[in-house]
């Protein structure tokens, strides 16, 4: 059936009839299955990826058509290249089937101000997921379809919201169908990669059309006799099978145009359509292409220089040929059409239109970040207003947790250039944004900014920022010197003093020539803090770490951590949650894992964290290590990968820390291949020097467990030498220690005396440790090396670990004890230890470890059962805890608070519990637990 007008990607269509899909049977079946699943109550993510024009938008339309009679709520949205720096731009622009805003409250007012405001943007960011889930109705059963186009132009915040949503689709009647281009420049590829991975079998790449499909299109569009086999072959070859290019070539009657490039044919076709509509339509189309989708006719008409009546007539004409969508706000039917129209603008004309667009949007009350998006495309002309607007937008963007985008705005402000009175402000803000983003040249840029600023207070602020840049670059000596200079320029009663002192304490911790604990300023402040005096969150955060390193009692560390986060769960929201790292470090070192999960849960729920991805990164990273030690290895991997994705997307050099957490979790589960795969990701990120030590420890452990003790010795020895250059600082953060791995590897190659010397030194070093885990870890290594003779040390280690929440170490200790008793000929004692280890492995859901333990048990005469598939014995440790709490009468919110997890996690656990116990409600829990043979 011939069709007329322009259609996104696939050609023209009448207003209510979609053109038939060709060569898309598999894709249609997948979309139908996604809709069916949503109607049945189980969500699914479908990612459609391909180049422009391949038919992605047409498949999105097909998904909506398949759902229209069965799904009550269908939401549409699209990424926009100009809104890529606007916080949550895509989710704010979601619309229903009638074109009305899905969440009008989220997109009201000044978006930049909303994000920073505790009662506006924070609620908006946090409320997006809740608002989407609320669409499923009060009982969560109403199906919803979310259709998102051009995801490669989506902002990072919206992609993270989508990632969070995708992670919980299994329990929602929500189908999410998205379309994106592969490796589009400027896209947030790490976040898009996560979505591709989450989609699994729902990730599809539509193939180019076959020659027969091209022949069908040609036969419909060309006069009789023109669609010859030769013409069809030429058309298929020149178009590459791209449906939009095929349609446009046919519409422009360019089948016999020789070797002309397909994009030129598209541009010629679009230009021809616009010229037929007249100069007013051309001007309006160009205005909309520059403004971006979603602008009102009023704004577009002003930019095009048209009065209201002429603009309305032009918009209607463009809609009739499917260049623009009907109605207000204005939007192109497809982004490729906008590209084609923009391509017709000469560079100076395009820049001039962007400059006029910025002025118009400002006059119409648009937010600075929307205005700044156009100023980025305008020519630099020495306008003070431009520099000031870019500076304001950059500060708001940085406050919203995106220093990379803020840096782009400030670079543009420098090119304007700013007037003399703003030059120092722009230089300083750019330097601070670069420091926060971890860019290598941040330190030098900050030093340049210092030369432009005379105000002592501002110079102290910049010196402090410079010290943070040095610290990120692992130049700890320079960092300590610079933060010390900043401290010298501040009075003790200055509001910045405590934060700078906290920064200097951090720097000094990593400098072998400095001992912050002995500095009179630090000693005085920490003594006052421990005595109960008030102090800023950052100082309290550092005091938490120092107390843990000083082997303070657990109650002291716990109270310091609570005080550091009592007013602000992030300890310092202005620092994007980085002080929370010190709280987490202290709690991890002190083995206060439940406390850490509780604090980070509050931090993630705080308004500042919801608007700062870096704050989310620090909180999730701490949780990854806590879950690792608790033996909740799936949770550890999930949180570690989330933290790593944020680190990579924001270009901050923290990925190494989260790579270590993920690798150690895989290793603890016995999956050496997955641990190696995690470590290989370190080749793609910046690795600070101190983080290399932890990566080396993980790499040595992987080498040892994979059967290469010689490599483990090389790696671990190099790490121990490097550690001396960092003051020998040793924090117990994960499940493995470099010295322990080195000692075990030495024993494995027959160097037993060296191994025992190293292991016994660790036993002696930790003999007076306040935290049982530290001494138990050393006893575990020394006992395992001695074999049968090490049984007493292993028994002592197991006894110590029974009071620790570190279940992953208890599992290792019980396993080592069972093997040592076997070597000593104590079969009954070996069976007892190995059976307890097996029970723990099954509770933790560690199937590979459980299988290994069954093999060990058979060597001492036991016939261990397989893990239960149903009944209480099938429950993991976490599931059993939730089951018992629910059976005791606690509701989901109370269980979530007790377990330090989200309500959604509790709901997921309960669903699995009901299935394993064969029950249908909470009321049956107590009886099912009592009747089973579980503990």
């Amino acid at each position: 059936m011939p069709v007329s007008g322009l259609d996104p990607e696939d050609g023209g269509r009448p207003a209510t009839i979609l053109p038939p899909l060709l060569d898309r049977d598999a894709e249609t079946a997948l979309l139908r299955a996604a809709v069916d699943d949503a109607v049945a109550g189980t969500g699914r993510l479908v990612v459609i990826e391909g180049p422009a024009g391949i038919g992605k938008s047409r498949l999105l339309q097909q998904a909506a058509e398949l759902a229209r009679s069965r799904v009550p709520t269908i939401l549409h949205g699209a990424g926009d290249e100009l809104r890529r720096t606007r916080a949550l731009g895509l989710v704010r622009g979601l619309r229903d089937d009638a074109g009305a805003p899905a969440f009008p409250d989220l997109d009201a007012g000044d978006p930049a101000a909303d994000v920073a405001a505790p009662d506006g943007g924070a609620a908006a960011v946090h409320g997006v997921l809740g608002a989407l889930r609320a669409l499923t109705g009060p009982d969560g059963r109403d199906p919803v379809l979310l259709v998102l186009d051009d995801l490669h132009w989506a902002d990072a915040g919206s992609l993270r919201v989508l990632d969070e949503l995708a992670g919980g689709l299994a329990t929602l009647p929500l189908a999410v169908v998205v379309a994106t281009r592969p490796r589009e420049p400027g896209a947030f590829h790490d976040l898009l990669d996560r979505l591709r991975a989450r989609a699994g079998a729902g990730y599809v790449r539509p193939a180019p059309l076959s020659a027969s499909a091209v022949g069908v299109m040609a036969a419909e569009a060309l006069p009789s006799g023109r669609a010859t086999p030769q013409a069809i072959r030429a058309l298929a070859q020149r178009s590459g099978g791209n449906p939009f290019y095929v349609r446009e070539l046919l519409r422009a009657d360019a089948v016999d145009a020789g070797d002309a490039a397909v994009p030129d044919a598209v541009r010629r076709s679009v230009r021809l359509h616009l010229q037929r509509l007249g100069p007013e339509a051309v001007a309006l189309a160009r205005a909309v292409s520059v403004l971006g989708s979603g602008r009102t006719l009023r704004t577009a008409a002003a930019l095009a220089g048209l009065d209201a009546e002429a603009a309305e007539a032009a918009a209607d004409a463009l809609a009739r040929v499917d260049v623009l969508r009907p109605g207000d706000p204005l939007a192109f039917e497809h982004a490729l059409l906008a590209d084609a129209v923009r391509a017709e603008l000469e560079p100076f004309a395009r820049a001039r239109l962007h400059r006029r667009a910025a002025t118009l949007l400002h006059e119409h009350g648009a937010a600075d970040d929307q205005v700044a998006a156009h100023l980025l495309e305008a020519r630099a002309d020495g306008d003070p207003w431009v520099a000031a607007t870019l500076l304001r937008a950059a500060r708001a963007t940085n406050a919203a947790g995106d220093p990379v985008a803020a840096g782009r705005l400030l670079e543009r402000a420098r090119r304007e250039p700013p007037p003399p009175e703003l030059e120092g402000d722009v230089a300083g803000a750019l330097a601070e944004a670069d420091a926060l983003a971890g860019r290598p040249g941040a330190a030098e840029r900050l030093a340049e900014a210092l030369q432009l600023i005379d105000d002592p207070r501002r110079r102290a602020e910049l010196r402090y920022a410079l010290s943070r840049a040095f610290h990120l670059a692992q130049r700890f000596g320079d960092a300590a010197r610079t933060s010390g200079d900043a401290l010298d320029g501040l009075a003790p009663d200055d509001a910045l003093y405590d934060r700078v002192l906290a920064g200097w304490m951090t720097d000094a911790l990593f400098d072998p020539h400095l001992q912050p604990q002995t500095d009179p300023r630090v000693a005085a402040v920490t003594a006052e803090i421990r005595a109960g005096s008030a102090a800023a969150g950052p100082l309290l955060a550092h005091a938490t770490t120092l107390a843990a390193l000083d082997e303070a009692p657990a109650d002291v560390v716990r109270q310091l951590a609570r005080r550091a986060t009592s007013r602000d769960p992030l300890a310092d929201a202005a620092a994007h949650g980085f002080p929370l790292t010190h709280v987490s470090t202290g709690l991890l070192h002190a083995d206060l894992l439940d406390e850490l999960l509780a604090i980070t849960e509050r931090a993630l729920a705080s308004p500042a964290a919801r608007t700062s991805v870096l704050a989310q990164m620090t909180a999730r990273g701490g949780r990854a290590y806590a879950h690792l030690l608790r033996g909740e290895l799936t949770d550890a991997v999930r949180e570690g990968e989330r933290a790593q994705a944020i680190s990579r997307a924001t270009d901050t050099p923290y990925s190494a820390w989260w790579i270590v957490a993920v690798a150690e979790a895989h290793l603890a589960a016995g999956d050496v291949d997955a641990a190696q795969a995690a470590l290989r990701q370190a080749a793609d990120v910046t690795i600070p020097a101190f983080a290399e030590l932890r990566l080396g420890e993980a790499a040595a452990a992987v080498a040892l467990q994979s059967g290469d003790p010689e490599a483990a010795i090389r790696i671990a020895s190099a790490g121990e030498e490097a550690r001396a250059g960092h003051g020998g600082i040793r924090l117990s953060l994960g499940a493995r220690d470099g010295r322990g791995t080195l000692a075990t590897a030495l024993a494995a190659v027959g160097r037993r005396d060296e191994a025992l010397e190293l292991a016994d030194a660790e036993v002696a070093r930790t003999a007076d440790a306040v935290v049982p885990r530290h001494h138990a870890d050393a006893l575990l290594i020394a006992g395992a090396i001695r074999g049968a003779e090490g049984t007493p040390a292993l028994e002592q280690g197991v006894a110590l670990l029974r009071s620790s929440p570190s279940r992953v170490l208890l599992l290792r200790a019980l396993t080592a004890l069972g093997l040592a008793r076997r070597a000593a000929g104590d079969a009954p004692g070996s069976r007892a230890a190995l059976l307890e280890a097996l029970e723990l492995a099954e509770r933790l859901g560690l199937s590979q470890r459980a299988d290994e333990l069954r093999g060990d048990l058979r060597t001492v005469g036991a016939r261990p059962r397989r893990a239960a598939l149903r009944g209480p014995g099938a429950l993991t440790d976490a599931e059993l805890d939730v089951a018992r709490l629910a059976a005791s009468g606690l509701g989901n919110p109370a269980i979530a608070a007790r377990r330090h997890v989200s309500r959604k996690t509790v709901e997921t656990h309960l669903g699995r519990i009901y299935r394993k116990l064969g029950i249908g409600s909470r009321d049956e829990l107590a009886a099912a637990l009592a009747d089973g043979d579980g503990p």
Side-chain angles (χ1 to χ4, degrees):
M1 178 183 70
V3 293
S4 61
L6 290 176
D7 177 66
E9 294 191 343
D10 289 291
R13 59 173 170 81
T16 58
I17 302 176
L18 294 175
L21 278 170
L22 300 172
D23 286 353
R24 297 291 183 260
D25 291 346
E27 290 87 346
T28 301
L30 177 63
L31 295 173
R32 182 176 289 108
V35 172
D36 290 343
D37 285 350
V39 172
T42 302
R44 184 187 291 201
L45 171 65
V46 177
V47 175
I48 304 168
E49 183 176 88
I54 198 64
K56 304 184 297 298
S57 296
R58 176 63 183 83
L59 285 169
L60 295 184
Q61 293 171 339
Q62 183 72 8
E65 285 300 309
L66 291 170
R68 193 148 281 133
S69 63
R70 306 173 63 198
V71 176
T73 303
I74 302 176
L75 297 184
H76 304 264
D80 188 306
E81 189 173 22
L82 281 175
R83 293 188 181 187
R84 196 154 36 188
T85 58
R86 183 189 180 200
L88 294 170
L90 185 149
V91 295
R92 288 167 182 263
L94 287 173
R95 294 181 176 274
D96 64 21
D97 238 2
F103 310 118
D105 292 341
L106 294 181
D107 205 32
D110 181 339
D114 283 351
V115 171
D119 60 346
V125 174
H126 181 62
V128 168
L129 288 173
L132 285 168
R133 291 175 179 131
L135 294 172
T136 63
D139 59 356
R141 295 181 179 178
D142 296 341
V144 176
L145 173 65
L146 183 60
V147 180
L148 300 175
D149 205 353
D150 295 324
L151 215 62
H152 47 276
W153 285 334
D155 60 285
S158 294
L159 288 173
R160 292 188 185 97
V161 168
L162 188 58
D163 180 59
E164 292 283 348
L165 183 66
L169 284 178
T171 58
L172 289 172
L174 173 61
V176 180
V177 184
V178 303
T180 184
R181 295 181 192 172
R183 314 315 296 175
E184 181 76 8
F188 296 96
H189 295 298
D190 291 295
L191 296 172
L192 289 170
D193 285 342
R194 285 181 58 82
L195 288 173
R196 294 181 184 103
R198 283 195 186 279
Y203 170 75
V204 293
R205 291 177 62 95
L209 296 178
S210 64
S212 60
V214 172
V216 171
M217 296 175 68
E220 290 180 347
L222 294 176
S224 177
R226 287 279 309 277
T228 63
Q230 295 83 359
I232 292 171
R233 283 196 299 271
L235 181 60
Q237 182 176 3
R238 291 188 54 234
S239 68
N242 183 296
F244 178 69
Y245 294 160
V246 172
R247 188 76 69 186
E248 286 305 299
L249 288 169
L250 289 168
R251 184 178 292 114
D253 198 16
V255 176
D256 302 316
D259 294 329
V262 170
D264 288 341
V266 173
R267 287 174 58 179
R268 284 196 300 272
S269 179
V270 171
R271 187 188 315 140
L272 179 62
H273 277 282
L274 293 178
Q275 287 173 347
R276 287 172 178 165
L277 296 175
E280 290 84 1
V282 173
L284 186 65
R286 289 177 174 178
V288 177
S289 76
V290 166
L291 284 168
S293 297
R295 293 297 173 197
T296 64
L297 180 63
R298 172 193 172 210
T299 303
L303 183 59
L306 302 175
D307 61 32
E309 185 175 352
E312 290 169 359
D316 287 339
L318 289 165
R320 280 194 295 272
V321 296
D322 292 328
V323 173
L324 294 182
R325 295 173 187 167
D328 212 356
L330 302 180
F332 279 91
E333 277 284 5
H334 191 276
L336 190 61
L337 298 176
D339 293 342
V341 174
R342 269 196 304 272
E344 293 300 300
L345 288 167
E346 297 295 336
F348 284 120
R350 185 189 305 179
R352 185 167 58 253
L353 276 175
H354 276 294
R355 179 63 178 81
R356 288 173 53 196
T359 301
L360 279 171
L361 290 173
H362 175 69
E363 292 173 350
H364 291 178
D368 284 332
D369 64 334
Q370 299 178 47
V371 175
H374 291 280
L375 294 177
L376 284 172
E377 305 296 328
R379 289 179 58 246
D381 200 27
D383 188 334
W385 174 80
V386 171
T389 302
L390 288 164
L391 178 60
R392 288 195 306 272
R395 284 172 170 166
T397 301
N398 200 29
D402 195 345
V404 176
R408 288 197 293 268
L409 294 169
L410 290 162
E411 287 278 13
R412 173 62 182 83
R414 279 201 359 168
R415 293 197 304 271
E416 187 61 18
E421 63 270 20
L422 286 182
E423 189 176 3
D425 289 334
V426 170
L430 177 57
E432 288 175 301
D434 282 354
L436 189 58
R439 289 179 172 172
E444 289 71 20
R445 185 161 279 169
L446 278 163
E448 293 172 8
L450 282 170
Q451 305 302 313
L452 299 171
I453 296 173
D454 296 324
D455 178 63
R457 180 63 162 62
R458 181 58 178 151
R459 288 176 63 82
E461 290 177 346
L462 283 184
R463 282 197 172 98
Y464 171 62
L466 177 57
S467 71
R468 299 306 88 214
F470 281 137
H471 188 93
L472 285 171
Q474 307 295 296
R475 293 164 58 178
F476 297 119
D478 291 335
R481 185 186 67 255
T482 309
S483 56
D485 289 344
L487 199 62
D488 292 340
L490 293 169
D493 60 352
D494 191 297
L496 186 61
Y497 183 88
D498 284 356
R499 185 181 298 174
V500 177
L501 177 59
W504 181 84
M505 290 163 65
T506 302
D507 303 332
L509 271 176
F510 293 95
D511 190 314
H513 306 295
L514 297 172
Q515 297 295 326
Q517 298 92 326
T518 63
D519 185 273
R521 295 172 298 191
V522 175
V525 170
T526 53
E528 292 173 1
I529 287 174
R530 291 200 192 184
S533 69
L539 270 182
L540 285 164
H542 285 275
T544 304
T545 297
L546 290 177
L549 288 172
D550 289 342
E551 296 292 339
D555 282 344
V556 172
V557 178
R558 181 186 290 108
Q559 289 304 317
L560 286 170
R562 289 178 178 178
R563 287 169 59 194
T565 56
S566 61
R567 295 181 183 175
D568 175 4
L570 301 175
D572 181 14
H576 297 283
F578 286 118
L580 185 64
T581 301
H582 297 285
V583 174
S584 300
T585 298
L587 292 172
L588 283 169
H589 193 76
D591 219 18
L592 298 171
L593 308 183
D594 289 348
E595 188 73 30
L596 171 56
L597 289 174
I599 285 176
T600 51
E601 183 74 16
R602 283 199 305 115
L604 286 170
S606 70
R610 292 197 297 269
T611 58
S612 172
V613 294
L614 298 178
Q616 294 177 40
M617 177 189 72
T618 58
R620 295 197 182 282
R623 293 175 68 82
Y625 280 103
H627 285 305
L628 166 62
L629 288 170
R630 283 162 58 106
E632 297 157 351
L633 304 183
T634 300
D635 292 335
V637 170
R638 184 189 68 247
E639 296 286 23
E641 288 180 342
R642 286 179 175 178
Q644 184 186 350
I646 295 172
S647 178
R648 297 183 66 157
T650 54
D651 197 26
T652 51
Y654 288 90
S655 288
W657 298 102
W658 324 133
I659 289 172
V660 168
V662 172
E664 288 192 349
H666 285 309
L667 203 59
D671 193 341
V672 178
D673 291 341
Q676 288 174 329
L679 290 177
R680 281 196 293 271
Q681 297 179 61
D684 300 327
V685 297
T686 301
I687 306 297
F690 192 76
E692 281 192 24
L693 299 179
R694 291 287 290 126
L695 273 174
E697 289 176 347
V702 168
L704 178 61
Q705 195 157 321
S706 63
D708 192 352
E710 293 287 0
I713 291 170
R714 288 195 304 273
I715 298 169
S717 297
E720 289 305 304
E721 291 177 10
R723 188 179 296 278
H726 291 281
I729 188 169
R730 189 173 295 278
L731 294 168
S732 183
L733 301 181
R736 300 191 174 260
D737 180 86
R739 290 185 185 179
T741 300
L742 178 57
T744 305
L746 288 170
V749 298
R751 296 162 64 178
R752 191 169 185 269
D753 290 343
E754 294 176 68
L756 286 175
E757 181 181 0
L758 185 59
D760 288 344
E762 283 298 287
V763 171
R765 184 181 69 84
T766 59
D768 297 325
V770 172
V771 180
R773 169 165 61 90
H774 300 167
H775 190 47
D777 198 12
L779 289 168
L780 170 59
I781 301 300
I785 291 173
R786 284 185 167 84
E789 299 172 359
T791 300
L794 292 170
E795 289 173 342
Q796 184 184 356
V798 167
L800 288 170
L801 286 169
R802 291 194 189 283
S803 64
S804 167
S806 181
R807 302 288 88 185
V808 73
L809 285 179
L810 178 59
L811 177 61
R812 285 173 53 197
L814 286 168
T815 304
L817 177 59
L819 297 178
R821 285 174 173 172
R822 183 181 67 179
D826 180 8
S830 176
R831 284 196 295 271
L834 292 175
L835 280 170
E836 185 179 353
L838 175 60
E839 180 184 356
L840 180 57
E842 290 180 346
R843 282 198 174 290
L844 296 175
L846 305 181
S847 58
Q848 185 166 333
R849 290 298 185 209
D851 286 342
E852 293 169 359
L853 286 162
R854 291 188 190 94
D856 292 331
L857 277 162
R858 283 190 284 271
T859 67
V860 290
R863 294 293 180 267
R865 62 177 176 82
R866 301 295 298 180
L869 297 177
R870 296 184 66 81
L875 302 182
T876 67
D877 207 29
E879 289 168 351
L880 184 60
D881 192 20
V882 169
R884 286 171 172 165
L885 291 172
S888 72
L890 290 181
N892 289 4
I895 296 173
R898 185 79 63 88
R899 290 278 303 164
H900 313 305
V901 296
S902 67
R903 294 185 190 183
K904 193 65 181 178
T905 299
V906 173
E907 293 169 3
T908 301
H909 277 315
L910 286 171
R912 293 171 180 164
I913 290 166
Y914 294 164
R915 287 194 297 273
K916 290 180 180 180
L917 296 181
I919 61 177
S921 73
R922 203 183 202 93
D923 297 336
E924 302 174 75
L925 269 173
L929 292 173
D931 291 343
D933 60 357

